[in-house]
């Protein structure tokens, strides 16, 4: 909210590794254009270019466009200022920025709240392929079914883990545990 950047700029703003490598490359290129052809500057350009490439810099624009499209933006939206969009669409921009930052631990609380069904389906597929740890709090059963493979249930002051478990399998396991606990209670 309140960003004066374009949608694409805001979405890409937290891709820190790529952005830092690009800045280093730009500074080295400017120094070379201004006549500094020292080994130090040439090595800095080579190192920065390699870091940019390894971080996915050459495909950054396509990745940003793909995430924005998945969240329902059309290509023409990418160059519009964020301030042109309603609160719900600004939440989508924030979600895009978060996903593109690729944190090692992704914390999501009701991420599908402002999304239509197409964007929800895309998000579920994206989360299913997410390379990192994730804590997802959601009442969206379709999102949980498609996007998670481990579930932790917090109940009665304890945490019950359901490893390698879809949401539907979790429901079955939960019912089985409840019946087993009831049977044990009746035996005692």
């Amino acid at each position: 909210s309140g960003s004066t950047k374009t949608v694409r700029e805001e979405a890409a703003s937290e891709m820190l590794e790529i952005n830092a490598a690009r800045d280093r490359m730009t500074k080295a290129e400017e120094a070379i254009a201004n006549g500094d052809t020292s080994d130090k500057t040439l090595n800095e350009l080579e190192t920065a270019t390699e870091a940019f490439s390894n971080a996915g810099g050459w495909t950054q624009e396509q990745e940003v466009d793909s995430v924005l499209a998945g969240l329902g933006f059309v290509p023409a939206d990418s160059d519009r200022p964020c301030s042109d969009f309603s609160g719900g669409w600004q939440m989508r921009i924030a979600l895009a920025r978060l996903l593109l930052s690729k944190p090692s631990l992704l914390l999501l609380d009701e991420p599908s709240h402002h999304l239509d069904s197409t964007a929800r389906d895309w998000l579920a597929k994206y989360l299913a392929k997410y390379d990192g740890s994730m804590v997802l709090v959601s009442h969206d059963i379709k999102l949980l079914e498609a996007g998670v493979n481990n579930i932790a249930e917090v109940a009665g002051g304890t945490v019950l883990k359901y490893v390698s478990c879809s949401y539907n399998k979790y429901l079955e396991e939960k019912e089985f545990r409840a019946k087993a606990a009831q049977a044990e209670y009746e035996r005692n």
Side-chain angles (χ1 to χ4, degrees):
S1 178
S3 176
T4 58
K5 295 178 183 176
T6 67
V7 171
R8 179 182 285 118
E9 290 169 341
E10 186 65 35
S13 67
E14 292 298 316
M15 298 175 85
L16 301 179
E17 188 177 357
I18 292 173
N19 295 339
R22 179 187 294 106
D23 290 346
R24 287 178 50 209
M25 264 179 24
T26 300
K27 286 179 184 171
E29 288 168 347
E30 287 172 357
I32 291 168
N34 290 330
D36 181 358
T37 58
S38 66
D39 286 344
K40 180 181 177 188
T41 303
L42 293 173
N43 287 337
E44 173 59 16
L45 177 60
E46 181 181 354
T47 302
T49 302
E50 185 176 335
F52 183 74
S53 180
N54 290 341
W58 302 118
T59 60
Q60 179 184 28
E61 191 170 317
Q62 293 87 350
E63 186 177 6
V64 170
D65 289 345
S66 175
V67 169
L68 289 173
L71 293 174
F73 291 92
V74 296
D77 291 337
S78 294
D79 296 320
R80 290 176 52 198
C82 294
S83 58
D84 282 0
F85 293 88
S86 68
W89 283 94
Q90 288 189 22
M91 291 299 292
R92 291 181 190 220
I93 296 167
L95 179 57
R97 184 183 59 231
L98 174 66
L99 296 175
L100 290 164
S101 73
K102 297 182 180 174
S104 58
L105 175 61
L106 184 60
L107 303 172
L108 296 170
D109 184 8
E110 299 292 351
S112 61
H113 184 69
H114 292 284
L115 303 179
D116 57 25
S117 63
T118 304
R120 266 190 236 118
D121 292 344
W122 175 87
L123 180 61
K125 290 175 187 167
Y126 184 92
L127 295 178
K129 292 186 265 181
Y130 186 73
D131 186 26
S133 298
M134 172 182 14
V135 175
L136 172 62
V137 177
S138 181
H139 291 89
D140 185 339
I141 293 171
K142 284 178 70 177
L143 179 65
L144 292 171
E145 183 59 36
V148 302
N149 57 15
N150 293 299
I151 295 176
E153 177 186 33
V154 180
T158 62
V159 176
L160 299 173
K161 297 177 190 175
Y162 298 84
V163 180
S164 297
C165 188
S166 69
Y167 183 75
N168 285 332
K169 187 170 183 199
Y170 151 75
L171 292 176
E172 292 170 9
E173 291 287 325
K174 181 179 177 175
E175 184 178 345
F176 175 79
R177 284 184 180 188
K179 286 179 181 177
Q182 181 65 32
E184 181 67 23
Y185 175 77
E186 289 172 2
R187 259 194 309 270
N188 290 333

